[in-house]
Amino acid sequence: MYNTYPFKLNPLPYEYDEMEPYIDKETMFLHHDKHLKNYIDKLNLAISKYPKLYNWPLEKLLTSIMFLPEDIKTDIKNNAGGVYNHNLYFEGLKKVGKGNIPIGKLARKIDFQYTNFNDFYNKFKEKALSVFGSGYAWLVLNNECKLDIVTTKNQDTVLSLNLCPIILIDVWEHAYYLKYNNRREEYIENYKNIIDWQKAEQRYEKCLKNCIK
Ligand code: MN3
């Protein structure tokens, strides 16, 4: 999924209007081609000064912030985070519509921990609404193999918290404002229709290999 410097903007794995009416074409275009591109350009600019970082994958950069040269620490944290989070977000979307629910082992785990999908989603929505300003809400697996719903600010990732990402929702205004204006709740509710649960299941299986039962 991740490469090294110079990082490139991968095309979306679907058309810009694919997620209509839940995410409009213009938002998708601006979000991917302008916002994400900007994080990539700034990340490349920061790394360009330090050839020793040229072969570091995104995940290594993000989990090694404290070892990075002082003058690029903040730029790497924000922009590598921006690239990592947006890749996860865009690659985790699939238009399904009403009745879109988790599958496989993840579905059973969600039912086990949260009773049923609706209860889970209400908690997820509540968490996403609680983000003050810009950030993300995540469904993660912690290192004890338990699911958890967490939030991060700005472009922080869950990697530095030692949590394994399964799904995430971008609640920066740029992700929804053109269509939803201030109605963040409606955007989060509609997100339910475009979660790629097959992708989530793959991520969950991968996360399971790295936690301690
Ligand atoms: Mn965004």
Side-chain angles (χ1 to χ4, degrees):
M1 178 178 179
Y2 303 119
N3 39 12
T4 53
Y5 176 89
F7 292 93
K8 290 188 189 73
L9 182 70
N10 298 323
L12 280 176
Y14 38 77
E15 301 297 323
Y16 294 109
D17 63 358
E18 178 83 17
M19 302 303 151
E20 296 258 12
Y22 310 114
I23 295 177
D24 60 288
K25 184 180 180 179
E26 195 182 1
T27 297
M28 193 63 96
F29 172 75
L30 292 170
H31 199 179
H32 178 268
D33 282 37
K34 303 294 176 190
H35 288 276
L36 173 54
K37 176 73 164 49
N38 190 41
Y39 291 114
I40 292 172
D41 291 346
K42 285 185 172 161
L43 174 62
N44 284 333
L45 183 66
I47 294 178
S48 66
K49 296 176 252 177
Y50 294 96
K52 68 166 188 177
L53 302 176
Y54 285 8
N55 61 354
W56 285 33
L58 211 45
E59 279 157 319
K60 183 171 176 185
L61 289 165
L62 284 166
T63 50
S64 316
I65 303 284
M66 68 189 94
F67 304 115
L68 295 173
E70 203 57 46
D71 65 316
I72 58 166
K73 270 183 185 171
T74 305
D75 279 346
I76 299 280
K77 182 172 177 260
N78 290 337
N79 295 299
V83 176
Y84 178 84
N85 291 342
H86 283 99
N87 283 344
L88 274 182
Y89 175 76
F90 288 125
E91 287 166 12
L93 300 181
K94 185 184 178 187
K95 188 167 138 188
V96 180
K98 300 269 172 276
N100 185 29
I101 52 167
I103 57 160
K105 288 182 190 168
L106 177 58
R108 291 196 289 277
K109 185 78 166 177
I110 286 173
D111 286 350
F112 178 73
Q113 274 193 237
Y114 299 95
T115 315
N116 56 54
F117 177 64
N118 276 340
D119 284 9
F120 158 76
Y121 203 80
N122 285 335
K123 287 211 169 70
F124 183 75
K125 201 162 97 176
E126 214 173 280
K127 273 279 186 179
L129 275 171
S130 78
V131 175
F132 184 74
S134 299
Y136 294 80
W138 309 70
L139 172 66
V140 297
L141 196 70
N142 66 25
N143 51 16
E144 292 168 344
C145 303
K146 288 206 178 82
L147 295 175
D148 202 2
I149 303 166
V150 301
T151 62
T152 52
K153 281 185 170 301
N154 304 316
Q155 293 298 353
D156 291 355
T157 75
V158 292
L159 292 181
S160 49
L161 305 169
N162 206 15
L163 299 169
C164 187
I166 300 169
I167 67 168
L168 78 168
I169 182 169
D170 185 339
V171 292
W172 282 60
E173 283 186 346
H174 69 225
Y176 64 87
Y177 204 86
L178 281 181
K179 177 181 171 73
Y180 296 97
N181 307 133
N182 60 324
R183 303 185 309 278
R184 185 188 273 191
E185 183 171 1
E186 200 181 316
Y187 159 66
I188 300 166
E189 180 61 32
N190 278 342
Y191 181 68
K192 199 155 75 167
N193 298 302
I194 51 170
I195 298 170
D196 185 344
W197 286 111
Q198 212 158 352
K199 185 61 69 64
E201 173 74 356
Q202 288 164 13
R203 289 176 186 163
Y204 176 63
E205 298 234 14
K206 209 173 132 201
C207 292
L208 273 179
K209 288 182 187 146
N210 297 314
C211 62
I212 304 140
K213 279 172 206 137

